[in-house]
Amino acid sequence: MKAGAPPGARGPDPARAELDARVLAWMREPLSGPADAGDEPRFDALARALFAFQFAHCAPYRRFCAGRGRTPETVAHWRAIPAVPAGAFKELALRSFPEPCEAHAFRTSGTAAERRGVLHLDTLALYEASLLPSFRRGVVPDLAPGARARLRILAPAPAEAPDSSLSHMFGVVLAALGDAGSGFDVRGGALDAAGLLAALECAGAEGVPVALCGTAFGFVHLLDALAARGARLALPAGSRVMETGGFKGRSRELPREALYEGIASALGVPATRIVNQYGMTELGSQFYDSVLCSPGEPRRKLAPPWARVRVIDPETGEDAAPGAIGVIRIHDLANTGSVAAIETADLGRTVAGGFEVRGREPGAEARGCSIAADEMLAP
């Protein structure tokens, strides 16, 4: 509960506490490997119980579902749970808890003049429990239990960007898995290139592999800084890169293939050791490329067992044919405090053992945002 909350504001009710406990228990079980898609009956039971709770406690979502004739009584499988467009998080507070219980809010990127999506949270427990096993499997699958890794982060620290879910994620990862030489390398809104290069040279001298993690645009700044110095590094064997995010609103863009070529050339990390993370502020879970946990197999994105990713044919509203491109829809049990089923504005396709992201659907976010807001606000 945030400071100044009105007297009488309550925490999670018993039904919500029980749902959180069941999801947390799943997150704390060890992942069985890249192919761990989780127990389908377990997921279905939890997803429908969570839908019933969110239908009862989130009025805008209830109106959205009722408008589609979907209620807890009519939904017999998790696939029938209505998914709200991600853009709706810009228009409405999609909370499944009383507002005075809000403990934290993550906001999508954008300028002060832009409307930004907000994920309202009454607890960070599920968000933090969800992110660690996925990061470990996707980025440091070879890290021995109890060991720590050298992590350098091309993003601001949580204290500098308190409403950034990415900075919060990196803060949790750093505290749980980082060694004494780990740290953040963006300060005051800019890459501390000199400090980062000194840290990388130190790791090289020690022969310690580095996991260099950050936004795609952060890596562009790093490559620019190296180019300006006429410098190239050869990071120690075993090093890897994790990049995430796009270039929306940035001064310039770089195709992913060109970015990976630049990283390989300037840092000595080949594309086979570069992991892309797919995530959204509106979601509590993240999705990582398989290249490090399934080396030698085709690159694909993996979902944690408590999330499901569907690719929807926009014309039928049903699952697209295997391999066909459609709109990515995600059911994420980590979202107990908001809405678990979200339709993204991203295009993708299912592949064996995972999925691929293939760009953005033109105009999808604006359309979804407008339609959903109208339906959710209707009396």
Side-chain angles (χ1 to χ4, degrees):
M1 190 183 309
K2 61 187 177 184
R10 298 175 299 170
D13 67 19
R16 168 70 188 287
E18 193 229 343
L19 280 167
D20 282 10
R22 292 167 65 189
V23 177
L24 282 167
W26 200 350
M27 292 171 174
R28 288 167 180 157
E29 295 173 10
L31 296 178
S32 62
D36 187 354
D39 181 314
E40 183 67 8
R42 184 182 188 182
F43 183 88
D44 182 52
L46 263 173
R48 286 190 292 122
L50 184 55
F51 170 58
F53 181 85
Q54 294 178 341
F55 185 91
H57 291 83
C58 183
Y61 184 50
R62 180 167 60 251
R63 286 191 285 271
F64 179 81
C65 296
R68 286 159 173 71
R70 305 288 178 85
T71 70
E73 290 73 32
T74 64
V75 168
H77 190 271
W78 68 267
R79 288 176 178 271
I81 296 171
V84 300
F89 285 78
K90 293 182 178 180
E91 302 293 328
L92 296 162
L94 296 175
R95 299 186 190 88
S96 292
F97 57 85
E99 183 178 356
C101 294
E102 182 163 309
H104 204 88
F106 291 131
R107 289 176 171 78
T108 57
S109 59
T111 66
E114 292 177 316
R115 181 169 290 180
R116 300 165 65 187
V118 184
L119 177 65
H120 302 275
L121 298 166
D122 56 345
T123 173
L124 287 164
L126 285 99
Y127 186 87
E128 294 178 354
S130 172
L131 69 89
L132 280 172
S134 293
F135 182 91
R136 180 183 278 275
R137 180 176 67 173
V139 182
V140 288
D142 49 344
L143 190 66
R148 288 182 170 267
R150 182 68 51 88
L151 304 171
R152 298 306 310 187
I153 308 297
L154 279 65
E160 190 171 327
D163 64 352
S164 164
S165 58
L166 185 65
S167 287
H168 188 87
M169 185 203 85
F170 282 135
V172 172
V173 167
L174 211 64
L177 302 175
D179 71 2
S182 300
F184 288 89
D185 293 295
V186 171
R187 300 179 184 85
L191 178 69
D192 177 9
L196 173 58
L197 294 181
L200 296 178
E201 288 169 356
C202 178
E206 296 172 355
V208 176
V210 178
L212 197 53
C213 307
T215 63
F217 200 66
F219 280 98
V220 171
H221 277 288
L222 174 58
L223 297 181
D224 287 348
L226 287 168
R229 290 166 169 78
R232 288 188 179 183
L233 300 177
L235 297 184
S239 296
R240 73 283 319 263
V241 162
M242 187 221 94
E243 56 87 17
T244 186
F247 295 88
K248 181 183 177 184
R250 300 298 184 179
S251 55
R252 69 186 178 99
E253 297 187 8
L254 194 63
R256 179 149 285 122
E257 294 76 13
L259 177 64
Y260 285 14
E261 288 174 4
I263 290 172
S265 174
L267 298 171
V269 178
T272 52
R273 297 191 65 81
I274 302 176
V275 177
N276 172 256
Q277 183 223 57
Y278 175 65
M280 299 169 54
T281 299
E282 298 86 348
L283 293 171
S285 297
Q286 300 83 36
F287 309 83
Y288 291 85
D289 281 350
S290 60
V291 290
L292 293 179
C293 64
S294 297
E297 297 183 8
R299 183 185 292 264
R300 62 194 186 280
K301 287 187 169 48
L302 305 174
W306 52 88
R308 293 289 184 275
V309 177
R310 299 173 66 192
V311 174
I312 302 298
D313 182 333
E315 293 188 2
T316 66
E318 302 296 332
D319 288 303
I325 292 177
V327 178
I328 294 175
R329 182 180 296 176
I330 296 175
H331 292 249
D332 184 3
L333 299 183
N335 276 33
T336 59
S338 57
V339 173
I342 297 176
E343 183 145 317
T344 74
D346 295 316
L347 299 175
R349 66 174 185 172
T350 57
V351 296
F355 68 102
E356 296 175 348
V357 180
R358 304 301 292 265
R360 300 278 286 179
E361 184 186 20
E365 184 175 10
R367 289 199 305 276
C369 185
S370 174
I371 293 169
D374 185 51
E375 292 175 338
M376 292 179 183
L377 288 169

